[in-house]
Amino acid sequence: MIWRYNRKSETKLTSFRKEGRIHAKLQNRRPLPRKPGTGGAPAAGDRRAQGTARCQAAQEIFGYLPEEVQIMVAEGLDIPLSEVYGVASFYAQFSMNPKGKYQISVCLGTACYVKGAAAVLNAVEQKLGIVPGAITPDGKFSLDSCRCVGACGLAPVMMINNDVYGRLTPDQVGPILDMYK
């Protein structure tokens, strides 16, 4: 049984299997293209592309791709689970962990790191009580580190959803996070 966090009502949890929304979304997709002369078997590249599309659809519903959802995608496409896992773990757009309402990303690229990003990340960890890849117990914040956000001139940089905060010091982290509480 998979439980999905419903962001609209923070207390309501809905069962994935009872809801069946992903089944409907996956079933309504175009059929797999078939490679001529193979008895109707899909080409490997076509299966991988379909796996990516199905993973995107599933992540739209859940916000992440837990193992149970990956299994259902694999069964629905009749491909090995390892192929679905390969897609989900290779592409940065997919997450296998739930994300908070506010997704915090601290850049640890070269420019940011040299200018003190590790101290900024540590300040966020201390303030929220979580480590990168985790979510706060209330589901409000999730924390990740990334390699570059393309704002090297503002180093060190932290993003909260689409808001970019640059030239940060560890002392500025607390007041910024308080704005989102």
Side-chain angles (χ1 to χ4, degrees):
M1 177 90 40
I2 301 171
W3 294 95
R4 179 172 58 92
Y5 176 72
N6 185 332
R7 291 183 183 171
K8 291 183 181 170
S9 79
E10 294 182 11
T11 59
K12 183 180 176 189
L13 293 174
T14 54
S15 166
F16 167 75
R17 293 199 189 277
K18 288 181 185 174
E19 198 172 332
R21 287 176 54 195
I22 190 159
H23 288 295
K25 277 218 175 209
L26 294 178
Q27 296 302 324
N28 291 332
R29 299 279 178 166
R30 289 186 325 215
L32 287 170
R34 304 296 176 185
K35 187 175 181 181
T38 62
D46 295 334
R47 290 188 315 187
R48 189 164 290 116
Q50 289 290 321
T52 304
R54 298 305 199 274
C55 287
Q56 287 170 335
Q59 185 157 302
E60 284 176 21
I61 295 169
F62 294 101
Y64 72 111
L65 296 173
E67 182 181 358
E68 293 84 353
V69 172
Q70 293 178 48
I71 290 169
M72 294 180 79
V73 170
E75 289 173 353
L77 294 174
D78 195 29
I79 60 175
L81 176 60
S82 61
E83 284 191 32
V84 175
Y85 177 79
V87 167
S89 62
F90 179 76
Y91 293 105
Q93 67 180 329
F94 297 121
S95 173
M96 289 183 259
N97 299 315
K99 297 293 181 186
K101 179 179 180 182
Y102 300 109
Q103 298 176 26
I104 302 169
S105 184
V106 178
C107 178
L108 295 180
T110 304
C112 288
Y113 193 83
V114 167
K115 293 199 174 191
V120 170
L121 179 61
N122 189 41
V124 175
E125 290 175 0
Q126 296 300 315
K127 176 76 175 172
L128 298 178
I130 58 174
V131 297
I135 185 170
T136 56
D138 63 1
K140 201 164 198 177
F141 295 98
S142 57
L143 176 62
D144 285 304
S145 61
C146 62
R147 292 294 152 223
C148 187
V149 297
C152 301
L154 298 176
V157 175
M158 172 177 73
M159 291 183 65
I160 301 177
N161 291 346
N162 292 322
D163 300 330
V164 178
Y165 297 92
R167 297 189 180 102
L168 289 176
T169 64
D171 296 334
Q172 295 171 317
V173 168
I176 290 171
L177 293 177
D178 289 340
M179 293 188 317
Y180 291 89
K181 287 195 173 187

Coordinates of all heavy atoms in Angstrom, one line a residue, residues 2 16-17 22 26 51 54-55 58-59 62 64-90 94-97:
I2 N 0.6 2.2 -0.9 CA 1.4 3.4 -1.0 C 0.5 4.5 -0.5 O -0.7 4.6 -0.9 CB 1.8 3.7 -2.4 CG1 2.7 2.6 -3.0 CG2 2.5 5.0 -2.5 CD1 2.9 2.7 -4.4
F16 N -3.1 4.9 -2.7 CA -2.8 4.8 -4.1 C -3.6 3.7 -4.8 O -4.1 3.9 -5.9 CB -1.3 4.6 -4.3 CG -0.9 4.1 -5.7 CD1 -0.8 5.1 -6.7 CD2 -0.6 2.8 -6.0 CE1 -0.5 4.7 -8.0 CE2 -0.3 2.5 -7.3 CZ -0.2 3.4 -8.3
R17 N -3.6 2.6 -4.2 CA -4.3 1.4 -4.9 C -5.8 1.7 -5.0 O -6.4 1.3 -5.9 CB -4.0 0.1 -4.1 CG -2.5 -0.2 -4.3 CD -2.3 -1.7 -4.0 NE -0.9 -2.0 -3.9 CZ -0.1 -2.2 -4.9 NH1 -0.6 -2.2 -6.1 NH2 1.2 -2.5 -4.8
I22 N -3.1 6.6 -11.2 CA -1.9 6.3 -12.1 C -2.3 5.3 -13.1 O -1.8 5.3 -14.2 CB -0.7 5.9 -11.3 CG1 0.5 5.9 -12.2 CG2 -0.8 4.6 -10.6 CD1 1.8 6.1 -11.6
L26 N -1.7 5.9 -17.0 CA -0.8 5.0 -17.7 C -1.6 4.3 -18.9 O -1.0 4.1 -19.9 CB -0.1 4.0 -16.8 CG 0.8 4.6 -15.8 CD1 1.4 3.5 -14.9 CD2 2.0 5.3 -16.4
G51 N 9.1 4.3 -20.9 CA 9.4 4.3 -19.4 C 9.6 5.7 -18.9 O 9.1 6.0 -17.8
R54 N 6.2 7.4 -18.8 CA 5.3 6.8 -17.7 C 5.8 7.3 -16.3 O 5.1 7.6 -15.4 CB 5.3 5.3 -17.7 CG 4.7 4.7 -19.0 CD 3.3 5.2 -19.3 NE 2.6 4.3 -20.1 CZ 2.6 4.4 -21.5 NH1 3.4 5.3 -22.1 NH2 1.9 3.5 -22.2
C55 N 7.1 7.4 -16.2 CA 7.7 7.9 -14.9 C 7.3 9.3 -14.7 O 7.0 9.8 -13.6 CB 9.2 7.7 -14.9 SG 9.8 6.0 -14.7
A58 N 3.7 9.4 -13.6 CA 3.6 9.0 -12.2 C 4.2 10.0 -11.2 O 3.5 10.3 -10.2 CB 4.4 7.7 -12.0
Q59 N 5.2 10.7 -11.6 CA 5.8 11.7 -10.7 C 4.9 12.9 -10.6 O 4.8 13.6 -9.6 CB 7.2 12.1 -11.1 CG 7.8 13.1 -10.1 CD 9.3 13.1 -10.2 OE1 9.9 12.0 -9.9 NE2 9.9 14.2 -10.4
F62 N 2.4 11.8 -7.8 CA 2.9 11.6 -6.5 C 3.9 12.6 -6.1 O 4.1 12.8 -4.9 CB 3.5 10.2 -6.4 CG 2.5 9.1 -6.5 CD1 2.4 8.4 -7.7 CD2 1.6 8.8 -5.5 CE1 1.4 7.5 -7.8 CE2 0.7 7.8 -5.6 CZ 0.6 7.1 -6.8
Y64 N 7.0 12.1 -6.5 CA 8.2 11.3 -6.5 C 7.9 9.9 -6.9 O 6.7 9.6 -7.2 CB 8.8 11.3 -5.0 CG 8.1 10.5 -4.0 CD1 8.6 9.4 -3.5 CD2 6.8 10.9 -3.5 CE1 7.9 8.6 -2.5 CE2 6.1 10.2 -2.5 CZ 6.7 9.1 -2.0 OH 6.0 8.4 -1.1
L65 N 8.9 9.0 -7.1 CA 8.7 7.7 -7.6 C 9.2 6.6 -6.6 O 10.3 6.1 -6.6 CB 9.5 7.5 -8.9 CG 9.1 8.4 -10.1 CD1 10.1 8.2 -11.2 CD2 7.7 8.0 -10.5
P66 N 8.3 6.2 -5.7 CA 8.6 5.2 -4.7 C 8.7 3.8 -5.5 O 8.3 3.7 -6.6 CB 7.5 5.1 -3.7 CG 6.3 5.7 -4.5 CD 6.9 6.7 -5.4
E67 N 9.3 2.8 -4.8 CA 9.5 1.5 -5.5 C 8.3 0.9 -6.0 O 8.2 0.3 -7.1 CB 10.2 0.6 -4.5 CG 10.5 -0.8 -5.1 CD 11.2 -1.7 -4.1 OE1 11.5 -1.3 -3.0 OE2 11.5 -2.9 -4.5
E68 N 7.2 1.0 -5.2 CA 5.9 0.4 -5.6 C 5.4 1.0 -6.9 O 4.9 0.3 -7.8 CB 4.9 0.6 -4.5 CG 5.2 -0.2 -3.2 CD 6.1 0.6 -2.3 OE1 6.6 1.7 -2.7 OE2 6.3 0.1 -1.2
V69 N 5.6 2.3 -7.1 CA 5.1 2.9 -8.4 C 6.0 2.4 -9.5 O 5.6 2.2 -10.6 CB 5.1 4.4 -8.3 CG1 4.9 5.1 -9.6 CG2 4.1 4.9 -7.3
Q70 N 7.3 2.3 -9.3 CA 8.2 1.8 -10.3 C 7.9 0.4 -10.7 O 7.9 0.1 -11.9 CB 9.7 1.9 -9.8 CG 10.2 3.3 -9.6 CD 11.6 3.3 -9.1 OE1 12.5 2.6 -9.6 NE2 11.9 4.1 -8.0
I71 N 7.5 -0.4 -9.8 CA 7.0 -1.8 -10.1 C 5.8 -1.7 -11.0 O 5.7 -2.5 -12.0 CB 6.8 -2.6 -8.8 CG1 8.1 -2.8 -8.1 CG2 6.0 -3.9 -9.1 CD1 7.9 -3.4 -6.7
M72 N 4.9 -0.9 -10.7 CA 3.7 -0.8 -11.5 C 3.9 -0.3 -12.9 O 3.4 -0.8 -13.9 CB 2.6 0.1 -10.8 CG 2.1 -0.5 -9.5 SD 1.0 0.6 -8.7 CE -0.5 0.1 -9.7
V73 N 4.9 0.7 -13.0 CA 5.3 1.1 -14.4 C 5.9 0.0 -15.2 O 5.6 -0.2 -16.3 CB 6.2 2.3 -14.3 CG1 6.8 2.7 -15.6 CG2 5.5 3.6 -13.7
A74 N 6.8 -0.8 -14.5 CA 7.5 -1.9 -15.2 C 6.5 -2.9 -15.6 O 6.5 -3.4 -16.7 CB 8.5 -2.5 -14.3
E75 N 5.5 -3.3 -14.8 CA 4.5 -4.3 -15.1 C 3.6 -3.8 -16.2 O 3.3 -4.5 -17.1 CB 3.7 -4.6 -13.9 CG 4.4 -5.5 -12.9 CD 3.7 -5.7 -11.6 OE1 2.6 -5.1 -11.4 OE2 4.2 -6.4 -10.7
G76 N 3.3 -2.5 -16.2 CA 2.4 -1.9 -17.2 C 3.0 -1.9 -18.6 O 2.4 -2.0 -19.6
L77 N 4.3 -1.7 -18.6 CA 5.1 -1.7 -19.9 C 5.7 -3.0 -20.3 O 6.3 -3.2 -21.3 CB 6.2 -0.6 -19.8 CG 5.7 0.8 -19.7 CD1 6.9 1.7 -19.5 CD2 5.0 1.2 -20.9
D78 N 5.6 -4.0 -19.4 CA 6.1 -5.3 -19.6 C 7.6 -5.2 -19.8 O 8.2 -5.8 -20.8 CB 5.4 -6.1 -20.7 CG 5.8 -7.6 -20.7 OD1 6.0 -8.1 -19.6 OD2 5.8 -8.2 -21.8
I79 N 8.3 -4.5 -18.9 CA 9.8 -4.3 -19.0 C 10.3 -4.6 -17.6 O 9.6 -4.6 -16.6 CB 10.2 -2.9 -19.5 CG1 9.7 -1.8 -18.5 CG2 9.8 -2.7 -20.9 CD1 10.2 -0.4 -18.9
P80 N 11.6 -5.0 -17.5 CA 12.2 -5.3 -16.2 C 12.2 -4.0 -15.3 O 12.4 -2.9 -15.8 CB 13.6 -5.7 -16.5 CG 13.6 -6.0 -18.0 CD 12.6 -5.2 -18.6
L81 N 12.0 -4.3 -14.0 CA 12.1 -3.2 -13.1 C 13.4 -2.4 -13.1 O 13.5 -1.2 -12.9 CB 11.8 -3.7 -11.6 CG 12.0 -2.8 -10.5 CD1 10.9 -1.6 -10.6 CD2 11.8 -3.5 -9.2
S82 N 14.5 -3.2 -13.4 CA 15.8 -2.5 -13.5 C 15.8 -1.4 -14.6 O 16.5 -0.4 -14.4 CB 16.9 -3.6 -13.8 OG 16.6 -4.2 -15.0
E83 N 15.1 -1.6 -15.7 CA 15.0 -0.5 -16.7 C 14.3 0.7 -16.1 O 14.8 1.9 -16.4 CB 14.4 -1.0 -18.0 CG 15.3 -1.9 -18.8 CD 14.7 -2.1 -20.2 OE1 14.0 -1.3 -20.7 OE2 14.9 -3.2 -20.7
V84 N 13.2 0.5 -15.4 CA 12.5 1.7 -14.9 C 13.4 2.3 -13.8 O 13.5 3.6 -13.8 CB 11.2 1.2 -14.3 CG1 10.5 2.4 -13.6 CG2 10.3 0.7 -15.4
Y85 N 14.0 1.5 -13.0 CA 14.9 2.1 -11.9 C 16.1 2.8 -12.6 O 16.5 3.9 -12.1 CB 15.4 1.0 -11.0 CG 16.4 1.5 -10.0 CD1 15.9 2.2 -8.9 CD2 17.8 1.4 -10.2 CE1 16.8 2.7 -7.9 CE2 18.6 1.9 -9.3 CZ 18.2 2.6 -8.1 OH 19.1 3.1 -7.2
G86 N 16.6 2.3 -13.7 CA 17.7 3.0 -14.4 C 17.3 4.4 -14.9 O 18.0 5.3 -14.8
V87 N 16.1 4.5 -15.4 CA 15.5 5.8 -15.9 C 15.4 6.7 -14.7 O 15.8 7.8 -14.7 CB 14.2 5.6 -16.6 CG1 13.5 6.9 -16.8 CG2 14.5 4.9 -18.0
A88 N 14.7 6.2 -13.6 CA 14.4 7.0 -12.5 C 15.7 7.5 -11.7 O 15.7 8.6 -11.2 CB 13.5 6.3 -11.5
S89 N 16.7 6.7 -11.7 CA 17.9 7.1 -11.0 C 18.9 7.9 -11.9 O 19.7 8.6 -11.4 CB 18.6 5.9 -10.4 OG 19.0 5.0 -11.5
F90 N 18.8 7.8 -13.2 CA 19.7 8.5 -14.1 C 19.3 9.9 -14.3 O 20.2 10.8 -14.2 CB 19.7 7.8 -15.5 CG 20.6 8.4 -16.5 CD1 22.0 8.3 -16.4 CD2 20.1 9.3 -17.4 CE1 22.9 8.9 -17.3 CE2 21.0 9.9 -18.3 CZ 22.3 9.7 -18.3
F94 N 13.8 13.1 -11.8 CA 13.1 12.2 -11.0 C 13.6 12.1 -9.6 O 14.8 12.2 -9.4 CB 13.1 10.8 -11.7 CG 12.5 10.7 -13.0 CD1 13.2 10.3 -14.1 CD2 11.1 11.1 -13.2 CE1 12.6 10.3 -15.4 CE2 10.5 11.1 -14.4 CZ 11.3 10.7 -15.5
S95 N 12.7 11.9 -8.7 CA 13.1 11.8 -7.3 C 12.5 10.5 -6.7 O 11.3 10.2 -7.0 CB 12.6 13.0 -6.5 OG 12.9 12.8 -5.1
M96 N 13.2 9.8 -5.9 CA 12.7 8.6 -5.3 C 12.3 8.9 -3.9 O 11.9 7.9 -3.1 CB 13.7 7.4 -5.5 CG 13.7 7.0 -6.9 SD 14.8 5.6 -7.2 CE 16.2 6.4 -7.8
N97 N 12.4 10.1 -3.4 CA 12.0 10.5 -2.1 C 11.0 11.6 -2.2 O 11.0 12.4 -3.1 CB 13.2 11.1 -1.3 CG 14.3 10.0 -1.2 OD1 14.1 8.9 -0.8 ND2 15.6 10.4 -1.4

